[in-house]
Amino acid sequence: MTRAMGAASSAETDLFTIDQLASRSGISVRTIRFYAGKGLLPPPKLRGRLGLYGHDHLARLELIAELTGLGFTLAAIEGFLVALPESIAVEDLVLQRALLAPWIPERLETIDAEELNRRAGRALSEEELASMEALGVLERRPDGSILLHGAATLSSALASLDIGIPPHLLRRSHELISRHTTALAEDLMAMFQDEVLQPYRDRGRPVAERARLRELFTRLKPITVQGVVTAFGRAVNRTIRERYTDPG
């Protein structure tokens, strides 16, 4: 077999039918066709009447799934993908996915009020619903459905309500935490952008650095989250000592 024939054979094995693409991505054929119809995926390569998909299609689907998991709307996903260069390499799509992967897992679910009450074990009052919405546990939509931000956050919020913490106090504490952690997140993202990502772009996005960057961000996320938790705990301990320890 000549080198040219071998390369052609390898290229063919890197192509999938839409059913194989669905199996590899975990996204249904129907949804893949919907994304393609919206322009979120490039056209397949045609072999006669058969459409074949490559690793670039798979990488885009995985990126779309990541964006969806982050709560991006379809319009926002379209805007994000449109901003990417048409000639973007598969490796760069994989790096984009690594950068966008959630720092903590969030499982978004759409349920109705009856299912929410079933999970809560009781009919939730308007005040309780408003408190959980203010806490970011759920979002009530105009059509009556409820977007739930994970079963664990629901359990934690219900436990706080059940032990008698006043809803207004829960809301105020959440507002304080949200304000300060948002500022911290913005500062951290700006630092990563200035110190890591921009120098990588300035060097022309060298291929040899992509895998290292992907590994860096994959490992950095849990370390950073744990660091924030530890630093916060120590700050609370320090504040308690300073405020309540009798100097005499």
Side-chain angles (χ1 to χ4, degrees):
M1 180 182 291
T2 67
R3 181 178 297 178
M5 290 176 62
S9 174
S10 175
E12 289 295 325
T13 60
D14 286 340
L15 297 175
F16 327 114
T17 66
I18 193 167
D19 290 318
Q20 291 170 329
L21 182 63
S23 177
R24 283 175 175 255
S25 66
I27 297 172
S28 71
V29 169
R30 181 179 179 182
T31 302
I32 291 173
R33 286 185 172 137
F34 171 75
Y35 288 155
K38 298 290 288 184
L40 302 184
L41 295 176
K45 298 175 176 65
L46 293 178
R47 295 293 183 268
R49 298 180 62 183
L50 179 65
L52 295 174
Y53 300 82
H55 287 282
D56 55 335
H57 294 93
L58 179 59
R60 280 183 178 262
L61 284 174
E62 290 173 339
L63 182 56
I64 291 169
E66 210 70 71
L67 292 168
T68 301
L70 283 167
F72 278 51
T73 64
L74 184 61
I77 292 173
E78 288 184 66
F80 183 88
L81 293 178
V82 164
L84 296 177
E86 289 186 12
S87 58
I88 188 169
V90 171
E91 293 81 4
D92 279 325
L93 285 171
V94 174
L95 177 57
Q96 287 283 345
R97 184 186 172 204
L99 297 178
L100 290 166
W103 285 54
I104 58 170
E106 286 188 294
R107 186 185 170 202
L108 303 178
E109 289 184 86
T110 300
I111 60 176
D112 57 23
E114 182 179 351
E115 173 62 15
L116 179 63
N117 288 334
R118 187 190 70 77
R119 296 189 187 189
R122 66 176 187 274
L124 295 169
S125 68
E126 173 59 30
E127 186 179 35
E128 289 175 321
L129 288 170
S131 294
M132 286 194 286
E133 195 162 26
L135 289 170
V137 175
L138 55 85
E139 297 172 37
R140 290 182 284 182
R141 292 170 164 173
D143 63 1
S145 64
I146 295 168
L147 182 65
L148 182 64
H149 291 252
T153 57
L154 175 62
S155 298
S156 177
L158 287 171
S160 298
L161 292 170
D162 287 342
I163 61 176
I165 298 177
H168 75 276
L169 184 58
L170 284 175
R171 288 194 291 269
R172 286 187 60 196
S173 64
H174 177 73
E175 288 166 3
L176 282 170
I177 293 169
S178 180
R179 183 168 72 249
H180 290 288
T181 52
T182 296
L184 174 60
E186 290 172 351
D187 287 345
L188 284 172
M189 290 301 100
M191 183 188 71
F192 295 151
Q193 174 73 27
D194 295 341
E195 302 292 334
V196 180
L197 289 179
Q198 194 56 50
Y200 163 72
R201 295 186 184 112
D202 292 342
R203 289 191 292 272
R205 295 180 170 87
V207 174
E209 289 190 29
R210 289 174 187 158
R212 185 182 65 80
L213 271 180
R214 197 164 62 244
E215 180 70 12
L216 169 67
F217 277 93
T218 300
R219 290 176 175 270
L220 184 63
K221 290 173 183 179
I223 293 171
T224 304
V225 170
Q226 185 57 52
V228 170
V229 172
T230 301
F232 176 73
R234 288 174 178 169
V236 172
N237 290 346
R238 185 168 59 250
T239 301
I240 290 172
R241 287 195 300 270
E242 291 173 354
R243 289 197 177 194
Y244 299 107
T245 300
D246 183 358

